Amino acid sequence: AQTVTQSQPEMSVQEAETVTLSCTYDTSESDYYLFWYKQPPSRQMILVIRQEAYKQQNATENRFSVNFQKAAKSFSLKISDSQLGDAAMYFCAYRSANAGGTSYGKLTFGQGTILTVHP
Amino acid sequence: DSGVTQTPKHLITATGQRVTLRCSPRSGDLSVYWYQQSLDQGLQFLIQYYNGEERAKGNILERFSAQQFPDLHSELNLSSLELGDSALYFCASSVGGNSQETQYFGPGTRLLVL
């Protein structure tokens, strides 16, 4: 079974600074997808960024980028120019690309990292 | 707004009772997923339906069941409720059910069992 670990329960950053959230995962599969979701105080789950394991290029979405290290099974999220609206719980998630598996559809989430942004 | 709707937003009930949570996926989405978010278990996948058929199953208790109707809305039924079932229940949807598709989450139903 796949597992996702976020070792930082809490992180903080000053507004306009850069912060990196860590995520590691364990899998025996070679093809999969990785995601970062944001959960603000409203509790809504919002997709931040996704990465396909077969792509070597790191995904970027505006101020958000990832550092995907497949061999190390590491998938960190970098937030540049942090804004007050970035304050939220961030979840790293894994999804198998194996269509034959009984858990094919599921997202496996890490424990989450609470990000605080200081003005 | 993701386009996924869930009702009710909040639900308070007693142990031993049964409740039904409802989810309407985004227009055009055929897959519906249910997740449970609790303090001790974190975010866990419960079950996935695709076009009315069960597609994948997670750590869903036998007391819990789900179905997807012909109009593609889905219901999660929780019975013989226990205190530990108190959680935020999310529904998500995607176009098909393939792994590369993004799952869009609804606002969740907060269940409190007293």
Side-chain angles (χ1 to χ4, degrees):
Chain A
Q2 296 82 23
T3 59
V4 177
T5 302
Q6 294 178 247
S7 58
Q8 306 155 319
E10 298 182 31
M11 291 285 285
S12 64
V13 64
Q14 291 293 131
E15 199 174 4
E17 297 295 309
T18 295
V19 65
T20 298
L21 308 184
S22 301
C23 172
T24 58
Y25 57 94
D26 187 27
T27 183
S28 58
E29 299 177 326
S30 60
D31 199 12
Y32 47 86
Y33 298 85
L34 297 166
F35 305 85
W36 279 98
Y37 277 87
K38 168 185 176 181
Q39 188 178 40
S42 67
R43 294 297 195 177
Q44 178 78 48
M45 293 291 288
I46 302 165
L47 178 68
V48 175
I49 200 166
R50 57 175 276 164
Q51 174 79 42
E52 291 83 357
Y54 62 84
K55 288 187 178 179
Q56 290 188 341
Q57 187 172 6
N58 289 323
T60 61
E61 286 286 343
N62 301 313
R63 299 182 294 107
F64 299 87
S65 61
V66 299
N67 183 4
F68 173 49
Q69 301 290 329
K70 192 173 183 179
K73 296 180 183 175
S74 169
F75 182 60
S76 60
L77 175 70
K78 185 171 84 170
I79 306 174
S80 304
D81 186 25
S82 296
Q83 300 175 359
L84 294 178
D86 294 333
M89 173 88 87
Y90 285 81
F91 290 94
C92 178
Y94 172 103
R95 187 174 186 186
S96 171
N98 177 11
T102 57
S103 58
Y104 170 62
K106 77 174 195 179
L107 286 167
T108 299
F109 288 91
Q111 305 92 318
T113 296
I114 299 173
L115 177 66
T116 302
V117 181
H118 298 289
Chain B
D1 185 358
S2 66
V4 179
T5 60
Q6 290 186 247
T7 57
K9 287 187 178 179
H10 303 277
L11 200 49
I12 302 174
T13 189
T15 54
Q17 294 299 305
R18 173 190 170 92
V19 297
T20 297
L21 312 184
R22 181 187 170 104
C23 168
S24 293
R26 296 185 318 156
S27 178
D29 284 1
L30 298 178
S31 260
V32 169
Y33 311 79
W34 287 96
Y35 292 87
Q36 178 195 59
Q37 184 177 26
S38 62
L39 284 175
D40 54 344
Q41 299 288 336
L43 259 166
Q44 286 199 102
F45 169 74
L46 295 178
I47 198 164
Q48 175 197 1
Y49 276 82
Y50 171 74
N51 203 21
E53 300 286 328
E54 184 182 303
R55 171 69 71 88
K57 209 166 186 176
N59 297 325
I60 187 166
L61 300 172
E62 286 190 10
R63 300 184 286 109
F64 295 2
S65 64
Q67 55 183 325
Q68 186 179 27
F69 294 86
D71 67 352
L72 301 177
H73 90 272
S74 179
E75 293 181 356
L76 179 67
N77 299 295
L78 315 177
S79 61
S80 303
L81 285 167
E82 302 175 359
L83 296 177
D85 296 328
S86 296
L88 185 56
Y89 290 85
F90 284 108
C91 167
S93 74
S94 67
V95 174
N98 296 321
S99 61
Q100 70 270 26
E101 294 171 359
T102 295
Q103 294 181 25
Y104 295 92
F105 282 74
T109 293
R110 186 176 293 278
L111 173 66
L112 180 59
V113 182
L114 299 176

